[in-house]
Amino acid sequence: MTTIESPPTLFTLVPSGLFGPLASPNRAHYWGLLCRLFDEFFGPDAPMPPSVGFLRRDITSAIERYLLTDDPWDADEGGAPDAPLGVRAQAIYERFRIAGWLRQERVGAREMVSMTHVVSQLLTTLVDFCERGPAFLGAKVRSIELQLQQVLDGKAGADMLDEAADQARHLLSYVSAISVQVRDLMPELSRAETTAQFARQLFERYVGELFVGDYAELHNADHPLARRTSILNMVHEIEHSATRDRMLAWYLERVPGCDPGRAQARLQRSLRRLHEIDRIDEYLGRLDDDIRQANRRALAFLDYRLRAPDQL
């Protein structure tokens, strides 16, 4: 019988109002401000922040600078867009603080501002999602294989097994999502006003952004996807050897309360996700069908636009 896992909790980890600014009429402005604050103060590319955080006036002054180049805003939450710059910066700061993006603490007579680790991690994930380009599936498969080999060789613990399992899950999710993107893209492209615009968008977005970077090589015998049999064999060996007991002991030492049931469930989850990589051919087959259909529609549309009289 398949065990139905309960949905992962979200709002026990992040503040319940966190997405409020990103769901408002000014969501694009708020997102831009968050990214700039993250880059300058809280992100991995920013200088090492003070242990107690930044002075509140440093953050509000930065928001004022951003507002000088990011206008106009719509009236939002009762705030007038023509209010003085300092007042608007303070209002935006309070919106971020109340939503949970920023944390304010009093240190002596000063108000210090920081960003919690969970919120910073979420913002990093969102930024990475926006910047993601074509994936190279071969590198992901090689990474999974190497990680499992380290587990079998006794050079890594179950944390490496978890990482390989997460990568396998993300790999399948990514390939599945590309099919949806390809199907959704064609109606959008067909609204192009000129043939040149359609062709430019087709090659810039359809080929440049959505395709798997090594798509043309996926079905070659030398491609790492052909190594999925080796991966599945290693997963089988982990399940039916002393390595399983070693992984279970690793989990048991680290799960809350040293609960054997939780340790067993954690191990089974990772192994189940790794077994799912056997479905990669199914996902790639559907992607191939979607791409062939999109190619036929694109060629037919280009042929029509090039042959049709200008008045049509």
Side-chain angles (χ1 to χ4, degrees):
M1 179 181 295
T2 302
T3 303
I4 300 177
E5 296 183 1
S6 59
T9 57
L10 176 62
F11 294 108
T12 57
L13 297 175
V14 301
S16 58
L18 191 72
F19 298 103
L22 302 182
S24 70
N26 285 310
R27 54 188 174 273
H29 296 292
Y30 282 125
W31 172 248
L33 280 177
L34 279 174
C35 290
R36 296 181 71 170
L37 287 172
F38 193 61
D39 288 341
E40 184 171 347
F41 296 99
F42 308 110
D45 296 327
M48 179 68 70
S51 58
V52 295
F54 297 94
L55 289 170
R56 170 173 171 151
R57 64 171 177 268
D58 292 339
I59 304 299
T60 54
S61 296
I63 294 175
E64 289 184 27
R65 295 199 311 271
Y66 304 155
L67 288 176
L68 289 173
T69 59
D70 185 23
D71 261 334
W73 285 47
D74 299 324
D76 186 23
E77 298 293 321
D82 57 349
L85 192 64
V87 174
R88 294 174 59 197
Q90 293 290 341
I92 291 170
Y93 169 85
E94 282 300 312
R95 184 76 189 274
F96 284 152
R97 185 188 65 80
I98 293 172
W101 288 104
L102 300 175
R103 179 177 64 184
Q104 180 176 301
E105 298 175 296
R106 180 171 291 277
V107 179
R110 301 176 300 171
E111 293 178 332
M112 310 303 294
V113 182
S114 59
M115 182 176 287
T116 66
H117 171 70
V118 170
V119 172
S120 175
Q121 188 177 24
L122 176 62
L123 188 52
T124 300
T125 302
L126 293 175
V127 172
D128 289 343
F129 174 81
C130 294
E131 296 176 345
R132 184 178 300 167
F136 293 87
L137 303 189
K140 296 180 182 295
V141 174
R142 280 192 295 268
S143 176
I144 295 170
E145 185 180 20
L146 290 173
Q147 288 170 339
L148 292 180
Q149 190 62 58
Q150 286 187 312
V151 170
L152 284 173
D153 292 343
K155 298 178 180 178
D159 52 343
M160 190 71 76
L161 184 69
D162 279 351
E163 181 66 23
D166 290 342
Q167 288 192 21
R169 169 63 63 87
H170 294 159
L171 175 65
L172 295 180
S173 298
Y174 185 82
V175 176
S176 177
I178 291 177
S179 292
V180 178
Q181 288 178 294
V182 169
R183 291 194 297 270
D184 289 346
L185 178 62
M186 298 314 298
E188 180 182 343
L189 290 181
S190 65
R191 292 193 292 269
E193 296 180 358
T194 66
T195 305
Q197 183 181 2
F198 174 85
R200 182 172 60 253
Q201 290 181 353
L202 172 67
F203 288 101
E204 287 180 355
R205 297 194 55 193
Y206 181 42
V207 177
E209 295 181 12
L210 299 183
F211 264 18
V212 177
D214 49 355
Y215 176 78
E217 306 168 6
L218 289 183
H219 301 289
N220 293 347
D222 293 334
H223 193 272
L225 279 181
R227 301 292 299 167
R228 73 182 182 281
T229 301
S230 172
I231 290 175
L232 292 171
N233 288 338
M234 285 191 285
V235 175
H236 184 271
E237 185 176 348
I238 291 173
E239 285 183 299
H240 299 89
S241 69
T243 303
R244 177 188 178 90
D245 296 334
R246 182 165 59 85
M247 296 296 101
L248 196 57
W250 192 97
Y251 285 122
L252 189 59
E253 291 178 1
R254 291 163 176 82
V255 296
C258 297
D259 185 347
R262 288 187 178 183
Q264 181 73 23
R266 185 73 176 268
L267 177 59
Q268 287 301 120
R269 186 191 67 175
S270 292
L271 294 174
R272 184 173 63 253
R273 290 184 174 182
L274 287 165
H275 274 298
E276 289 176 357
I277 203 170
D278 194 31
R279 302 178 59 196
I280 190 68
D281 273 347
E282 175 186 345
Y283 283 89
L284 289 175
R286 186 175 66 181
L287 176 60
D288 288 343
D289 292 340
D290 291 332
I291 288 176
R292 279 193 291 268
Q293 182 179 1
N295 282 336
R296 288 193 295 267
R297 291 181 62 184
L299 290 173
F301 184 79
L302 277 174
D303 183 68
Y304 166 76
R305 293 293 292 267
L306 291 172
R307 291 175 183 271
D310 289 342
Q311 61 268 27
L312 294 182

